[in-house]
C-alpha cells in the first residue's frame, strides 16, 4: 500500500515572443524514485491535473487492494 508520493517539480521561463509578451513558464515533473519518467507541461494547470489523476489512481488501487482483506 502506497502511503505517500514525492515529486520533483522543475520550472523555467521561456523567452517572450515580443517586448509586450511576458515570458511563459514550462514545467517538468518527476516522481522521486529511480528510473521514473519525466513529464513535461506547458502550464501549471496541466501539472495540477496530472498530479490529481495520479493520486486518484493510487487511491483507487489502494482501495481495491484492501477489498477482501481481513482487519487485524
Amino acid at each position: 500500500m502506497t502511503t505517500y508520493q514525492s515529486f520533483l517539480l522543475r520550472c523555467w521561463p521561456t523567452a517572450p515572443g515580443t517586448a509586450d509578451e511576458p515570458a511563459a513558464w514550462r514545467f517538468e515533473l518527476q516522481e522521486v524514485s529511480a528510473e521514473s519518467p519525466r513529464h513535461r507541461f506547458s502550464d501549471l494547470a496541466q501539472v495540477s491535473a496530472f498530479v490529481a489523476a495520479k493520486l486518484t489512481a493510487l487511491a483507487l488501487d489502494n482501495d481495491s487492494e484492501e477489498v477482501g482483506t481481513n482487519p487485524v
Side-chain angles (χ1 to χ4, degrees):
M1 175 192 245
T2 303
T3 56
Y4 67 91
Q5 289 288 296
S6 296
F7 297 93
L8 174 63
L9 177 64
R10 294 178 177 95
C11 313
W12 64 94
T14 61
T18 66
D20 296 333
E21 183 181 329
W25 286 88
R26 297 293 181 254
F27 304 91
E28 182 178 87
L29 189 70
Q30 182 178 13
E31 291 179 53
V32 180
S33 64
E35 305 298 323
S36 65
R38 294 179 181 186
H39 304 278
R40 290 203 169 181
F41 306 94
S42 59
D43 65 52
L44 195 53
Q46 292 174 341
V47 176
S48 179
F50 178 85
V51 171
K54 181 76 171 176
L55 297 179
T56 298
L58 287 170
L60 292 173
D61 286 346
N62 286 341
D63 288 347
S64 66
E65 288 176 5
E66 292 175 5
V67 171
T69 60
N70 295 327
V72 177

